[in-house]
């Protein structure tokens, strides 16, 4: 039975993961470019069969021996991109599809920050406890559940967008887009300046990622969020020439917003449905989707209030094709009580090693060509060793148990995966 393998990657990574027993440690020379922030790219996840493991080191497609890798790391010339393969107890096979091909998981968009601004904590060690009687530092303070209200639901979500008629300075909230005001992009979820972009280009080489305070202006791809259960439709066919993803509306030279995918006249579309988050806790929980294709920041919010049930957007795995690979959605699960400005961001101002990019757990959702929706929950390792302060279970029309309870995963390891039959319903319950 083939299953999910979840990889964690760093900025500028283009990894050659294959369906084999090898555990590659990818090394990348440190890169300083004109971009305002580090570029980030998705890794590719392929279905694999468990087998023997060996470790090799790869730099730009060239295999290095262990000594070369060690010297490069110690000299600060290389960045290690760890790959995490959680132990997985496969579910019983779902009903046989009519086609003879087996479903693939699709690409995963799991990111690892390489900046030293907020490093993840080291793995726990087995060394003896210190003899000092000093008390450990207190945990980071939690904001009140009301610290960040839910974003607007997005009006006019089914309205056709008038390409080339709306100024780039006007956020398109009347066409379904949801403003993410806490990011300081005038409501946009991310900005990518592409000064050399043209509609007939096959790829884009010059990509400068916007930072807080930048605005959607001429020569910029302006990405946006959609309401819960929906996803954006706009990105250009030309993507980064070194496999960066690019998404959003384009601000043309006249300062007006253009559709980048004219085949989709609306800005948002429904996913395949069937999956919801149910919050049975007494505090709010923020679950944040990666903005992909785009800057790949985990900023697209599902903010579930206590007792609330909200739809999770479940994309078809051919929704966005990356490097000829099908893709699925990734949602970062934050600790309870964190508002959007502390959770649906890269660096959390209140919990830099346990929220945002360092959230304790990730939810993966995607519908394969055979109609099966694959749902996974797993620890965000090796990026984060933070622990969730609540439990999760996936129930409904699924073919195996999948849960996280009191720090343990069903079947052991660092995560679990289940499948929902076509037309089924699944509940990701926080309790």
């Amino acid at each position: 039975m083939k299953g999910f393998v979840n990889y964690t990657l760093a900025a500028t990574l283009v990894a050659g993961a294959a369906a084999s027993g090898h555990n590659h440690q990818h090394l990348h020379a440190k890169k300083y470019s004109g971009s305002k922030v580090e570029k980030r790219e998705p890794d590719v996840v392929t279905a694999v069969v468990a087998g023997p493991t060996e470790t090799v080191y790869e730099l730009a497609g060239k295999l290095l021996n262990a000594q070369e890798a060690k010297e490069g790391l110690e000299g600060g010339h290389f960045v290690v991109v760890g790959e995490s393969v959680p132990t997985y107890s496969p579910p019983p096979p779902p009903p046989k599809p009519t086609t003879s091909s087996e479903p693939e998981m699709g690409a995963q968009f799991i990111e690892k920050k390489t900046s030293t601004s907020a490093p993840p904590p080291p793995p726990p060690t087995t060394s003896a406890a210190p003899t000092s009687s000093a008390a450990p530092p207190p945990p980071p303070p939690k904001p009140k559940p009301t610290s960040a209200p839910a974003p607007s639901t997005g009006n006019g979500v089914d309205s056709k967008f008038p390409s080339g008629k709306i100024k780039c300075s006007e956020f398109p909230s009347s066409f379904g887009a949801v403003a993410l005001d806490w990011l300081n992009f005038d409501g946009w979820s991310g900005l990518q300046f592409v000064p050399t972009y043209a509609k007939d280009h096959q790829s884009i080489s010059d990509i400068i990622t916007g930072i807080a305070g930048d605005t959607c202006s001429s020569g910029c791809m302006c990405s946006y969020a959609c309401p819960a259960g929906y996803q954006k439709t706009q990105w250009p066919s030309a993507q980064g020439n070194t496999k960066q993803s690019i998404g959003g509306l384009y601000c043309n030279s006249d300062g007006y917003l253009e559709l980048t995918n004219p085949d989709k006249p609306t800005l948002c579309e429904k996913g395949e449905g069937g999956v919801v988050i149910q919050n049975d806790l007494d505090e709010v929980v923020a679950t944040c989707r990666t903005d992909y294709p785009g800057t790949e920041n985990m900023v697209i919010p599902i903010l579930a209030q206590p007792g609330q049930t909200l739809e999770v957007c479940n994309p078809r795995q051919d929704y966005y094709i990356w490097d000829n690979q099908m893709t699925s959605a990734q949602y970062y699960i934050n600790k309870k009580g964190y508002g959007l400005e502390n959770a649906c961001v890269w660096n959390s101002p209140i919990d830099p090693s346990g929220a945002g990019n360092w959230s304790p757990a990730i939810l993966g959702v995607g519908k394969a060509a055979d109609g099966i929706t694959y749902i996974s929950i797993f620890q965000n390792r090796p990026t984060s060793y933070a622990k969730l302060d609540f439990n999760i279970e996936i129930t409904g029309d699924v073919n195996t148990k999948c849960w996280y309870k009191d720090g343990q995963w069903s079947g052991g390891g660092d995560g679990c995966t289940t499948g929902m039959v076509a037309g089924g319903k699944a509940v990701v319950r926080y309790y």
Side-chain angles (χ1 to χ4, degrees):
M1 178 66 182
K2 293 185 178 181
F4 291 163
V5 177
N6 302 301
Y7 291 125
T8 302
L9 64 152
T12 71
L13 171 61
V14 182
S20 72
H22 294 286
N23 179 17
H24 287 267
Q25 297 294 321
H26 294 278
L27 306 177
H28 291 269
K30 288 188 176 180
K31 180 178 178 182
Y32 303 92
S33 69
S35 174
K36 298 182 180 179
V37 298
E38 297 167 280
K39 304 288 194 309
R40 292 176 293 280
E41 302 165 23
D43 202 351
V44 175
V45 171
T46 56
V48 303
V49 177
T53 298
E54 63 175 295
T55 298
V56 298
Y57 299 88
E58 179 182 341
L59 171 62
K62 178 184 176 181
L63 294 181
L64 305 180
N65 62 43
Q67 183 60 32
E68 291 174 321
K70 179 175 182 294
E71 292 173 354
L73 288 169
E74 291 176 347
H77 303 297
F78 299 153
V79 175
V80 177
V81 179
E83 296 180 353
S84 173
V85 185
T87 302
Y88 167 54
S89 178
K96 274 290 186 182
T98 55
T99 176
S100 60
S101 62
E102 294 192 41
E104 292 288 337
M105 167 58 177
Q108 299 294 294
F109 324 128
I110 308 165
E111 302 153 274
K112 179 180 179 182
K113 184 73 168 179
T114 59
S115 169
T116 59
S117 60
T125 66
T126 58
S127 60
T131 58
S132 171
S133 59
K142 282 189 179 181
K144 295 179 180 179
T146 57
S147 62
S152 62
T153 56
N155 298 317
V157 71
D158 296 320
S159 300
K160 293 183 179 180
F161 184 78
S163 185
K165 303 295 184 183
I166 294 180
K167 291 183 177 180
C168 302
S169 57
E170 180 181 345
F171 184 77
S173 56
S174 58
F175 296 90
V178 176
L180 309 185
D181 295 326
W182 66 92
L183 299 178
N184 198 18
F185 289 136
D186 289 340
W188 302 98
S189 59
L191 303 174
Q192 293 171 295
F193 295 91
V194 286
T196 61
Y197 167 72
K199 293 180 181 179
D200 59 348
H201 284 181
Q202 299 299 309
S203 63
I204 302 173
S205 59
D206 193 2
I207 306 166
I208 304 170
T209 304
I211 61 173
D214 286 342
T215 61
C216 179
S217 54
S218 294
C220 185
M221 292 288 175
C222 307
S223 191
Y224 56 91
C226 291
Y230 286 79
Q231 58 197 356
K232 74 181 178 195
T233 61
Q234 298 302 307
W235 58 84
S237 58
Q239 295 286 286
N241 68 340
T242 54
K243 298 184 175 64
Q244 307 96 322
S245 75
I246 301 170
L249 296 167
Y250 180 63
C251 182
N252 65 25
S253 58
D254 296 323
Y256 287 86
L257 295 168
E258 294 182 356
L259 295 173
T260 50
N261 184 10
D263 292 340
K264 298 289 181 71
T266 63
L267 299 188
C268 301
E269 66 181 4
K270 288 279 287 184
E272 296 298 303
V275 183
V276 299
I277 286 173
Q278 179 178 312
N279 182 12
D280 286 341
L281 299 164
D282 57 0
E283 294 185 74
V284 70
V285 178
T287 307
C288 313
R289 182 176 176 175
T290 304
D291 186 12
Y292 190 84
T295 64
E296 301 168 27
N297 260 335
M298 57 297 296
V299 298
I300 309 298
I302 301 177
L303 189 70
Q305 299 290 342
Q308 191 174 27
T309 297
L310 292 173
E311 186 173 0
V312 176
C313 187
N314 171 20
R316 287 184 57 89
Q317 290 188 357
D318 59 1
Y319 161 72
Y320 171 66
I321 303 296
W322 175 83
D323 195 28
N324 297 316
Q325 299 290 328
M326 293 186 291
T327 59
S328 61
Q330 296 295 312
Y331 297 86
Y332 284 63
I333 305 173
N334 284 267
K335 300 170 188 175
K336 61 184 179 181
Y338 286 13
L340 296 176
E341 80 280 14
N342 295 313
C344 292
V345 292
W346 185 282
N347 287 313
S348 172
I350 67 161
D351 192 357
S353 61
N357 182 60
W358 289 269
S359 298
I362 295 176
L363 166 70
V365 181
K367 186 175 182 178
D370 63 357
I372 303 297
T373 291
Y374 292 93
I375 309 169
S376 65
I377 49 175
F378 50 94
Q379 182 77 25
N380 184 15
R381 287 185 180 171
T383 300
S384 175
Y385 287 83
K387 294 290 187 181
L388 273 180
D389 51 1
F390 57 88
N391 301 323
I392 306 174
E393 65 176 357
I394 302 175
T395 62
D397 301 319
V398 294
N399 60 8
T400 190
K401 292 181 179 180
C402 184
W403 49 258
Y404 172 84
K405 184 176 181 181
D406 300 331
Q408 302 298 317
W409 300 89
S410 57
D414 284 339
C416 58
T417 299
T418 189
M420 180 184 77
V421 297
K425 302 291 183 184
V427 176
V428 181
R429 177 176 172 246
Y430 300 158
Y431 69 100

